Amino acid sequence: MQSRYFTINGFPQGTPGRELFELHEAELPALAEGEVRIRNTWLSVDPYMRGRMSGVTTYIAPFTIGEPLEGAAVGEVIESRHARLAVGDKVRHMAGWRDIAQLPGEEVEPLPGIEVPEQAYLGVLGMPGMTAWTGLNRIAEMKDGDNVLVSGAAGAVGSLAVQLAKARGGTVVGIAGSAEKLEWLESHGIKAVSYRDRDAAQLTEALQGACPEGFDVYYENVGGTCLEAALNTLKVGARIAVCGMIARYNEESASAGPGNLAMILIRRARMQGFIIFDHWNDYPRFLEEVGPLVANGEIDYTETIEEGLEHTPDAFLSLFKGANTGKMLVRL
Amino acid sequence: MQSRYFTINGFPQGTPGRELFELHEAELPALAEGEVRIRNTWLSVDPYMRGRMSGVTTYIAPFTIGEPLEGAAVGEVIESRHARLAVGDKVRHMAGWRDIAQLPGEEVEPLPGIEVPEQAYLGVLGMPGMTAWTGLNRIAEMKDGDNVLVSGAAGAVGSLAVQLAKARGGTVVGIAGSAEKLEWLESHGIKAVSYRDRDAAQLTEALQGACPEGFDVYYENVGGTCLEAALNTLKVGARIAVCGMIARYNEESASAGPGNLAMILIRRARMQGFIIFDHWNDYPRFLEEVGPLVANGEIDYTETIEEGLEHTPDAFLSLFKGANTGKMLVRL
């Protein structure tokens, strides 16, 4: 059986172009004992993948040039030599960026039985959702009534973070770019602030207008002027969960950081970076808490979908233009 | 009775000059019920005082133009209308920057009975020492064997931080400027690294040379290139205690921050600012633990002393030139 998969042909500096990605086709080897073959139905593209295209180990090993790229995917088992997995099982695994995946059954996880569309396990009930929940609860230690600021607030992680925060009763402000995203936020009761055409001082003023008392928690997905403005609006004892800094991922050389880091001292604030893979033991707890909210419609989620394996690189690259509201997915 | 005291005549931008400070003399009012009169013997000058000369409330109210400045001092009670305090008592209080202080007895604290010179209660057993201990133990949650990096390592706070860290068994590296300070550090078993004539990349390399495995804890007193280099040398899970950023206190406008803040994410590090006044309940615990070490000579401390009230502003201003090894004091 043939598998079609994407590779990269180098480690780009700056913003990658479409030509970085190459689509290959190869005959799969015979299924070994313990392996399964999966027809992928949905692929995830995520900002963190940019870090794996840089040739250096950050918190995760880089991709190998010429080898199939990796990423979260869901699909259906079409052939199995693993006792725990049967043909027809819906599963999640990390052999994305391809149509047919073949891998050891140990690396494959059956989808939980909550009544949601299967691709939700790549978004609101998958890594991005788990990341939102962990950042708020475990890293920022959000309490009921906390005022919460989220950057990248209409993205895959941010769109869940704002809703989880809103349910705790405080003022929630989301920073986003496009009119569509700002509308999505407002329609969910979130105060929406645009970062577009604003420098850090102007963004600070807009945030202070939206929440004059300041923020107990800042959920950081973006960096750059968002971070600088957020630092100006912290309450004493504020906690910052650093999930990502997408504004910087395509920089060829590091640009300067915020000039107001001393606010960490003045506000006795705490800023902590985290990687979701360190917290995966909490996944069942997250699922138990958030799964029912998604299933019964209390948590809304939105998706931006590209159709067809060949558009996977386009879906990935558009993340850095802010093209997605909610989770960016590729449907095969 | 006359009291001589310093005031400031404005809120300076940038580095203050000597002309900011004015020495006044005034007749003290009659001692009210509950008040005491104290002849100050030692005055403390500290970097945080610069923040009180800016006219804005940061974590502490600004000084009032034309009113006596404040700061820690020790002295001897010479007149008392307070039941708890008697003539001859050695005390500590915040009515510094003057020779004779008069204030309510509630704001005056008898010196603890540990066998150390009285001015130690302004340094190693006072606010700076308590700050070092709290930053390491409460904020950075230092553990035995942790590798610890300290900037401003030969200053009032840093000189205790390096010794407390060293006693826990890990590699301790101190960043300082002058040859005298570097020598002081080396003579106490601390690996000393100079920041002078080094940019962040060169300082990073020097720190990596001194401790190739990287640091579990960074005790931040300085900011600027020290912070940028430190971020490059963190171990996964590192904790940064932000005590001060003296490199920035005299800036007229904020200069850019470190371009490598994403290291917080990559190293899953935590950076937390703190103000010692929030932690003063722990002072008895600190004194119990560190007091005996100072009394029996296990913890060394060093002082830089100016003589005479009229030199208090010079002592203060020289802090920003790094003139002090250990605690900067004024002896009256």
Side-chain angles (χ1 to χ4, degrees):
Chain A
M1 183 177 247
Q2 300 283 308
S3 171
R4 293 194 305 149
Y5 59 91
F6 275 98
T7 63
I8 51 173
N9 53 32
F11 293 128
Q13 297 259 307
T15 305
R18 178 64 183 78
E19 67 285 357
L20 174 69
F21 300 90
E22 291 180 6
L23 184 59
H24 295 270
E25 184 158 12
E27 180 70 21
L28 290 167
L31 206 61
E33 182 58 37
E35 284 189 336
V36 290
R37 199 169 274 177
I38 297 158
R39 185 180 306 280
N40 286 335
T41 48
W42 295 88
L43 305 180
S44 181
V45 289
D46 302 278
Y48 83 87
M49 293 170 171
R50 178 64 184 87
R52 302 192 69 183
M53 297 173 188
S54 301
V56 292
T57 295
T58 52
Y59 52 83
I60 187 170
F63 290 131
T64 304
I65 290 173
E67 290 292 310
L69 298 175
E70 296 169 355
V74 299
E76 186 175 326
V77 174
I78 54 174
E79 214 180 321
S80 175
R81 295 189 64 190
H82 189 277
R84 196 172 46 88
L85 296 160
V87 170
D89 284 357
K90 299 289 181 67
V91 294
R92 180 172 56 185
H93 57 89
M94 289 300 289
W97 292 84
R98 69 197 83 179
D99 54 3
I100 307 293
Q102 179 166 322
L103 69 172
E106 281 69 38
E107 298 173 15
V108 172
E109 182 189 14
L111 296 186
I114 301 167
E115 278 288 319
V116 292
E118 61 185 13
Q119 75 274 19
Y121 292 106
L122 296 179
V124 66
L125 292 184
M127 189 267 281
M130 174 69 185
T131 302
W133 182 86
T134 301
L136 287 177
N137 292 291
R138 297 285 190 259
I139 307 299
E141 299 180 304
M142 177 179 59
K143 298 184 296 290
D144 288 348
D146 273 355
N147 296 338
V148 177
L149 175 65
V150 180
S151 62
V157 174
S159 60
L160 182 59
V162 291
Q163 292 181 82
L164 290 174
K166 184 74 190 164
R168 303 287 287 274
T171 298
V172 181
V173 177
I175 305 175
S178 71
E180 183 190 359
K181 291 180 178 184
L182 298 170
E183 262 169 48
W184 183 89
L185 289 165
E186 294 283 358
S187 73
H188 288 75
I190 312 302
K191 294 190 182 187
V193 170
S194 174
Y195 66 81
R196 293 231 176 123
D197 302 320
R198 283 183 165 136
D199 62 19
Q202 292 164 328
L203 185 53
T204 299
E205 209 174 314
L207 295 176
Q208 285 167 338
C211 184
E213 324 86 82
F215 297 99
D216 302 283
V217 168
Y218 173 47
Y219 194 108
E220 167 68 305
N221 289 306
V222 175
T225 53
C226 291
L227 175 57
E228 185 165 349
L231 285 168
N232 290 331
T233 61
L234 299 179
K235 286 169 74 173
V236 167
R239 290 85 63 202
I240 302 175
V242 182
C243 164
M245 292 188 170
I246 195 172
R248 299 296 176 84
Y249 292 178
N250 287 321
E251 286 186 339
E252 297 195 41
S253 58
S255 61
N260 60 345
L261 258 190
M263 294 307 293
I264 294 274
L265 177 58
I266 292 169
R267 298 287 188 254
R268 293 91 119 179
R270 189 180 77 197
M271 180 171 179
Q272 185 169 354
F274 71 105
I275 306 295
I276 196 58
F277 307 112
D278 290 342
H279 299 267
W280 208 253
N281 282 344
D282 276 340
Y283 184 68
R285 171 86 190 269
F286 156 76
L287 211 56
E288 191 181 335
E289 186 178 323
V290 179
L293 302 178
V294 175
N296 70 21
E298 281 178 69
I299 294 272
D300 184 36
Y301 61 102
T302 185
E303 296 165 341
T304 301
I305 297 172
E306 287 272 355
E307 302 284 346
L309 176 67
E310 58 279 11
H311 290 121
T312 311
D314 309 297
F316 172 71
L317 293 171
S318 72
L319 291 171
F320 301 96
K321 300 175 193 138
N324 58 306
T325 300
K327 180 69 187 113
M328 176 64 89
L329 293 164
V330 180
R331 176 159 48 199
L332 303 191
Chain B
M1 183 176 244
Q2 300 282 308
S3 171
R4 293 195 306 148
Y5 59 90
F6 275 99
T7 64
I8 51 173
N9 53 31
F11 293 128
Q13 297 260 307
T15 305
R18 179 64 183 76
E19 67 286 356
L20 174 68
F21 300 89
E22 291 179 7
L23 184 58
H24 296 270
E25 183 157 15
E27 180 70 21
L28 290 167
L31 206 62
E33 182 58 37
E35 284 190 337
V36 289
R37 199 169 272 176
I38 297 158
R39 185 181 305 283
N40 286 334
T41 48
W42 295 87
L43 306 180
S44 179
V45 289
D46 302 279
Y48 83 88
M49 293 170 172
R50 178 65 184 87
R52 301 193 70 182
M53 297 174 188
S54 301
V56 292
T57 295
T58 53
Y59 51 84
I60 187 171
F63 289 132
T64 303
I65 290 172
E67 291 292 308
L69 297 175
E70 295 169 356
V74 299
E76 186 175 328
V77 175
I78 54 173
E79 214 180 321
S80 176
R81 295 190 64 191
H82 189 277
R84 196 172 44 89
L85 297 160
V87 171
D89 283 358
K90 298 287 182 69
V91 295
R92 179 173 57 185
H93 58 87
M94 289 299 288
W97 291 85
R98 71 198 80 181
D99 55 3
I100 308 293
Q102 180 166 322
L103 71 170
E106 282 70 37
E107 298 173 15
V108 172
E109 183 189 14
L111 294 187
I114 301 167
E115 280 287 319
V116 293
E118 62 184 14
Q119 74 274 20
Y121 292 106
L122 296 179
V124 66
L125 292 183
M127 189 266 282
M130 173 69 185
T131 302
W133 181 87
T134 300
L136 287 176
N137 291 291
R138 296 286 191 256
I139 307 299
E141 299 180 304
M142 176 180 59
K143 297 184 298 288
D144 288 348
D146 275 354
N147 295 339
V148 177
L149 175 64
V150 179
S151 62
V157 173
S159 60
L160 182 60
V162 292
Q163 292 181 82
L164 290 174
K166 183 76 190 163
R168 301 288 287 273
T171 298
V172 181
V173 177
I175 305 174
S178 71
E180 183 190 357
K181 291 179 177 184
L182 297 169
E183 261 169 48
W184 183 87
L185 288 165
E186 294 283 358
S187 74
H188 289 76
I190 313 302
K191 295 191 181 185
V193 170
S194 175
Y195 66 81
R196 293 234 176 122
D197 304 319
R198 283 183 164 137
D199 63 18
Q202 292 164 328
L203 185 53
T204 299
E205 208 173 317
L207 295 177
Q208 286 166 339
C211 184
E213 325 89 81
F215 297 99
D216 301 282
V217 168
Y218 173 47
Y219 195 108
E220 167 69 306
N221 289 307
V222 174
T225 53
C226 291
L227 175 57
E228 186 164 347
L231 285 167
N232 291 331
T233 59
L234 300 179
K235 287 169 74 172
V236 167
R239 289 88 61 202
I240 303 175
V242 182
C243 164
M245 291 187 170
I246 196 171
R248 298 298 175 86
Y249 292 178
N250 286 321
E251 286 186 341
E252 296 195 41
S253 59
S255 61
N260 60 343
L261 259 190
M263 295 306 293
I264 294 274
L265 178 58
I266 293 169
R267 298 286 187 255
R268 293 94 118 178
R270 189 180 77 198
M271 179 171 180
Q272 184 170 355
F274 71 106
I275 306 295
I276 196 58
F277 307 112
D278 291 343
H279 299 266
W280 207 254
N281 283 343
D282 276 341
Y283 183 66
R285 171 86 189 269
F286 155 76
L287 211 57
E288 192 182 333
E289 185 178 323
V290 180
L293 302 177
V294 175
N296 70 20
E298 282 178 68
I299 295 274
D300 183 34
Y301 60 104
T302 183
E303 296 164 342
T304 301
I305 297 172
E306 286 273 354
E307 302 283 346
L309 176 68
E310 59 279 9
H311 290 121
T312 311
D314 309 297
F316 171 71
L317 293 170
S318 72
L319 290 171
F320 302 96
K321 298 175 195 140
N324 57 306
T325 300
K327 180 70 187 108
M328 176 63 88
L329 293 164
V330 180
R331 175 159 48 199
L332 304 191

